[in-house]
Amino acid sequence: MKPDDPSNLQPTTDTSVALAQRLRANTRGEVLFDAASRGRYATDASIYQVMPVGVFVPTDDADVRSAIQIARDLKVPVLPRGAGTSQCGQTVGACLVIDGSKHLRNVLALDIERRTARVQPGLVLDHLNAQLKGHGLWFPVDVSTSAQATLGGMAGNNSCGSRSIAYGNMVHNVIGAHLRLADDAALHAGPVGGLSGRAAEAAQFVRRLADAHRDEIEAQWPRAMRRVAGYNLDIFHPQSERPYTTNGSVNLAHLFVGAEGTLGFIEALDLRLQPLPRAKVLGVVNFTSFHRAMDSAQHIVKLKPTAVELVDRTMIELARANPAFKPTIESALIGAPEAILLVEFSGDDRDALRRTLHRLVELMGDLGLPNSVVEMPDEAPQKALWEVRKAGLNIMMSLKGDGKPVSFIEDCAVPLQHLAEYTAALTDVFSRHGTRGTWYAHASVGTLHVRPILDMRRDGAQKMRAIAEEASVLVRKFKGAYSGEHGDGLCRGEWIRWQFGAKLDDAFRAIKRHIDPENLFCPNRIVDPPKMDDAALFRFAPSYRTIELKPVFDWSAWNVQNDPTTESVSAPGSGGDTTAGLAKAVEMCNNNGHCRKFDAGTMCPSYRVTRDEQHLTRGRANTLRLALSGQLGPDALTGDAVHDALDLCVGCKGCKRDCPTGVDMARMKFEVQAQRRRRLGATPKDQLIGGLPDYARWASRVPWLFNLRNRSRALARLLERFTGLSAQRRLPAWRRDTFERSADALGAVSREALLAAHAAGAKAAVLWADTFNNHFEPEVARAALQVLRAAGYAVHVARGADGRVPCCGRTHLATGDVDAARAKAQALLDTLAPLAHLGIPIVGLEPSCLLTLRDEYLVLGLGDAARTVAAQALLFEEFIVREARAGRFAPPFHAAVQPVLVHGHCHQKAFGLMDGVLAALRLIPGAQVSLIDSSCCGMAGSFGYEAAHREVSMRMAEASLLPAVRAARDAIVVADGTSCRHQIADGAQIAACHAAQVLAAHLAEQAAH
Ligand SMILES: Cc1cc2nc3c(=O)[nH]c(=O)nc-3n(C[C@H](O)[C@H](O)[C@H](O)COP(=O)(O)OP(=O)(O)OC[C@H]3O[C@@H](n4cnc5c(N)ncnc54)[C@H](O)[C@@H]3O)c2cc1C
Ligand code: SF4
Ligand code: SF4
């Protein structure tokens, strides 16, 4: 293959069929060649989209070797990939993509004495650092994507973190690279003195090339430490202001750092580790002018901080507008600054650090800015503020409409003395092109992030080119580096020749030809790259179209356009979306990969157990986008590829809260299910689950009959065949003594008495017992009633026109029957809205049901009544904590004798309600209440009961919830979700209860009666 022959990138269909067959026959890895799988690997966090030939997920190094050889044989190029969070299109290409992130993720060796580690390329940085923490060590290249970025990807991109001024880039911290080359040879790169075989040959070749180009290197190479473009030919004549090695030696591994997968597949990396600093202090310098902030950075770095990070006014305001970030950002501000610099000092001697912090205060005074520093000597507030800073880009990306902040000059690096002039000039460039950018990040090393807002479907490409060209003039004027952090990829490849000149560009070509003579790895990257504005490579090219669709939910909030100069958005529904906003909601996913999270948190439970791109919020959003834009063929939205991608989504709403751009996959899944049901009709399982509230009244009259299935294995197996519900699961047992028939409920105050009590200013509330608590666990609703009564409330039990506890319709929503759901919702609103209208609180118990009133009801076209009820609908704990804080809730509780362990329902977490649950339980004197660090329990409504999901459901539960409850046998386990309680009972044989039951059990004797 010749490097510049584009036909290299277009293997024939026959070739890809042969490739898939041979991979399946000769490896143990996953071979993903269907359109949806390829589509999910066609994008990264850049603006580009290129369909790969196929995707291969190797289980081990042997798989990698076989795959490379098969691909070579068939002349299909190979593209190694980690988390796919690159911003310049490094991980997209018409190649065989080899995803090392699923299985190649072990620490192979750890030498604590010498502070080194050998790791596989798919290991995530945070996971490495978690393993190192106990040894007092860390790998200090702290990229913002530390929870997703793999070490292989970081090496590929020569990544750099916030603390690069102290620790350098990836290239300064890698001491060995072990590669598999196209011809199956192994290349072990390390210090040049000790090389042999292919590594020695390569070193000799590169040394000769470097010597021959010494003058060009000295004349053309940017001196900035943050220079990540091209190949590191300067290893033999170092130009970086921070040398690659501390002793002046040459390490061949540094040639492969920043090579962006173009030279070979990294099988392992040797890393130099650093001691974890024992202490950190932070000074937040407030500036009334952006220019002053930029100008001060050069003076501040003389104090030798470990980080100097910028947050500008726009980002400060965005953070202020976000309830989660508001208190943190405000704690760092003095007045209304135009910019702040976060200046961190770290080391082992806290007193010495405090003295340095004081010197920062003095320095700012000397610079004419007295009283401008907020001192943060303690770690907790520092950590919170760093989280706001790390969320910076993501906060910006939540802009709705087709104009998006685009990364293409995001990381030009200029010497600090020119930072103020450079940022001012680039801001002028933006305004000349009718846009603007928000500035943030690494002021310490002159790499400020900025993304102008461009609409790639319209005139974005032209503006991108014009702005890039003007930015390049500035970078040259200030002797900076055009690519200071994010690498080359598709976006900046063409600027390599501009930056280094023709001779060095040819030298890079020579390196590529020497190490990868067949041009197997990532052709047309770094060497002979395409134009950055080639529309054929765009995810949203001007030719991008969406299908015509009438969605069942109201997505109009996303159907808007924005003004790039003011960032104001047009009225809901005015965006011109052919799917009335659904497509634009899906397109909010910018592929940043934040959902590839493994900490307990909420997002994304299915990915956490499968580690498959398909079962990740990003993978789902990409599948939907491809379907909605017709790229997966006709009717794809209701087809199997979309169904499969959504199948393991448990609807936890974790993404609605945790995804930086607010992708709400749970609602999208409901939408797709409704569309699919419209086209294909309902399955028996859908009818059984969806219709549960309707047949509940009969089931509760003859519970022995409906519960037979739980007693007969044969019947359970038979029903599994017809309904898909697992025979290995006990279903919730039907009860004759439903809540609505109980003496407690029948004795509750009437509607008239409630209205009278409310009118008289007495304490009054409506208790709405959902279908599940009403029929399966009536003791939960009875307990809630008891507690509210004990606290002196006039409690009315909500009943519909038929005298029964009304259902919210959630089971219909979950099975795609939106009409039935809407009818149920309307009936419930008819009951509740007149009471809510008077300001009477509606108290519910089952998180998923009650929160449906505050979420899905608002997009079902139910009008004002839905908004009125949503405003008054509260979960039981929310209500009592609110009342307790207002001095209205103080029933006598006796002291707790057992610790209380709480598992949060996903929707409680997604709505940020867990603090309220803990606070409610802490109303019990002496209660030791703790929260389990758990994700979804795995049951998630009917999900875990289904035979097809049982295994994955149990894996979700075993990830953290079940081990935690098993380890705390003496504790009361609280889980407000009905299905969570069932999962705990099934998996750990422990009876969990609702918080209302715990509070009721602690009512003092006289209050309980
Ligand atoms: C919101 C956001 C914030 C970011 N912040 C930072 C930041 O602070 N600092 C920073 O430097 N970057 C940042 N990035 C860019 C990106 O996250 C980093 O470059 C990251 O290190 C890439 O890791 P990855 O696992 O996603 O690699 P990928 O994107 O999957 O791959 C990166 C490159 O490495 C190559 N590669 C991967 N595995 C191998 C292998 N086994 N052998 C050979 N080559 C391989 C790929 O071919 C590709 O060229 C950010 C990106 C986003 C979206
Ligand atoms: S779903 Fe959200 S978190 Fe995941 S990649 Fe897309 S934007 Fe990022
Ligand atoms: S709703 Fe939950 S399971 Fe579904 S994509 Fe979002 S985080 Fe993942």
Side-chain angles (χ1 to χ4, degrees), residues 692-701 734 741 775 802 804:
L692 184 144
D694 300 321
Y695 59 78
R697 77 161 68 189
W698 311 114
S700 64
R701 288 192 196 286
W734 292 99
R741 292 188 201 126
H775 288 94
D802 58 358
R804 306 196 54 235

Side-chain angles (χ1 to χ4, degrees), residues 836-914:
H837 191 68
L838 296 172
I840 301 175
I842 317 284
V843 180
L845 297 161
E846 171 60 35
S848 55
C849 296
L850 187 278
L851 294 171
T852 301
L853 275 51
R854 294 196 341 212
D855 191 353
E856 286 85 357
Y857 272 27
L858 300 178
V859 290
L860 277 170
L862 296 164
D864 283 346
R867 283 184 281 280
T868 307
V869 168
Q872 297 301 330
L874 296 167
L875 275 174
F876 175 75
E877 296 93 328
E878 268 184 297
F879 174 68
I880 63 173
V881 169
R882 182 186 87 176
E883 297 293 286
R885 287 187 182 144
R888 289 196 294 264
F889 181 90
F893 287 119
H894 61 67
V897 288
Q898 271 177 287
V900 182
L901 197 60
V902 184
H903 162 69
H905 183 285
C906 292
H907 296 182
Q908 284 175 308
K909 291 184 204 150
F911 279 75
L913 302 179
M914 288 317 295

Side-chain angles (χ1 to χ4, degrees), residues 429-472:
V429 171
F430 294 157
S431 52
R432 270 205 306 284
H433 292 284
T435 184
R436 69 174 187 168
T438 293
W439 296 90
Y440 69 102
H442 321 301
S444 56
V445 284
T447 309
L448 288 181
H449 289 337
V450 65
R451 292 185 170 200
I453 297 167
L454 300 177
D455 183 346
M456 302 312 287
R457 301 172 209 210
R458 295 176 180 85
D459 58 358
Q462 294 90 298
K463 286 188 176 174
M464 178 166 86
R465 157 99 23 217
I467 293 172
E469 280 174 1
E470 291 188 46
S472 71

Side-chain angles (χ1 to χ4, degrees), residues 210-237:
D211 288 348
H213 290 81
R214 187 169 191 145
D215 291 348
E216 282 82 13
I217 291 174
E218 278 168 10
Q220 301 278 357
W221 216 269
R223 299 287 183 274
M225 181 188 96
R226 289 293 202 114
R227 189 272 319 152
V228 296
Y231 294 126
N232 295 330
L233 178 58
D234 65 332
I235 52 175
F236 287 101
H237 303 299

Side-chain angles (χ1 to χ4, degrees), residues 410-424:
E410 159 154 303
D411 55 329
C412 301
V414 296
L416 286 190
Q417 67 270 28
H418 302 305
L419 204 52
E421 220 185 318
Y422 166 72
T423 49

Side-chain angles (χ1 to χ4, degrees), residues 394 586 588-596 603 616-619 621-622 655 658-663 665:
N394 292 328
V586 167
M588 289 300 291
C589 173
N590 61 20
N591 278 261
N592 61 55
H594 189 66
C595 38
R596 292 174 64 101
M603 170 171 76
L616 176 66
T617 318
R618 175 174 78 176
N622 277 326
C655 43
D658 291 357
C659 163
T661 65
V663 170
M665 194 51 66

